[in-house]
Amino acid sequence: MSKILRLLVISAICMCWFSVAHADAFRPGDQGTQVAQIQGELANLGYDVSVDGDFGPATEEAVKAFQSSVGLAADGLVGDQTYHALMGRPMPRVSRGSNYYVRRVIQTSLSYIGVPYVFGGTTPSGFDCSGFTKYVFASAGISLPRTADVQYEVGTPVAYNDLMPGDLVFFSTYTYGASHVGIYLGNGRFINASSSRGVAIDSLNSSYWGSRYIGARRVI
């Protein structure tokens, strides 16, 4: 792939990420007064949900039940149609900070510890390193390229001492350049799909990973 074509592909990916990551829908993990208002209306309709401003599993199930009752797709997300049907008014813009996406990425990544390594794997039945990061970030609405070397070209470079949870960390393993990727968790630890252990938590300071670390990118 020529350098110009690669830059065009990366630009398109970034544009796609921006549009998806900022899509207007209330979803599991959201918190605040707007969520509490949604919960209040669900409770008024008789659904078993606490009005605590925390969009958790019970709220998601209540939303799905409401959607089914009014003939909408039961995806558990409160988008324009669901919000209008439930609240009787247009939906306000959903505003999220980076903390929401970081929390979502970390929680999702940890839920797959123990999933086996599968070369070319992109699903919870088996992941390779970049298939794992792509899948986890997609769960938070953030689109990543498929392979580690191209993931290394998106986002903002981050110095080792400035690493934050949710950053992508990269390593040179079986070939020159970025050939392995994981997700930084904090305190020198990262989660990755390794060929020897599957999805597991490792240390950046270990003799193996420390000697192969080449950099990090922030996409959240």
Side-chain angles (χ1 to χ4, degrees), residues 30-85:
D30 284 350
Q31 297 176 326
T33 57
Q34 292 176 322
V35 172
Q37 291 172 6
I38 291 170
Q39 292 171 323
E41 193 57 38
L42 288 168
N44 288 339
L45 293 174
Y47 294 99
D48 184 15
V49 57
S50 298
V51 184
D52 57 8
D54 187 356
F55 199 133
T59 301
E60 182 180 14
E61 291 306 310
V63 169
K64 287 180 179 178
F66 171 76
Q67 290 171 322
S68 295
S69 73
V70 296
L72 296 174
D75 59 7
L77 306 179
V78 182
D80 287 330
Q81 288 184 309
T82 300
Y83 189 92
H84 193 274

Side-chain angles (χ1 to χ4, degrees), residues 132-211:
F132 175 62
T133 53
K134 180 177 174 62
Y135 186 92
V136 168
F137 275 76
S139 73
I142 300 172
S143 178
L144 290 178
R146 172 61 184 91
T147 60
D149 59 333
V150 186
Q151 289 181 11
Y152 191 52
E153 297 181 12
V154 301
T156 304
V158 182
Y160 184 89
N161 290 334
D162 295 327
L163 283 171
M164 296 180 63
D167 289 342
L168 293 170
V169 287
F170 295 87
F171 308 85
S172 181
T173 53
Y174 64 88
T175 187
Y176 177 79
S179 54
H180 188 78
V181 59
I183 302 168
Y184 188 65
L185 299 175
N187 297 319
R189 301 185 307 158
F190 70 100
I191 187 169
N192 67 125
S194 67
S195 58
S196 60
R197 301 170 60 206
V199 177
I201 296 173
D202 287 300
S203 172
L204 282 178
N205 301 317
S206 70
S207 58
Y208 181 84
W209 293 113
S211 64

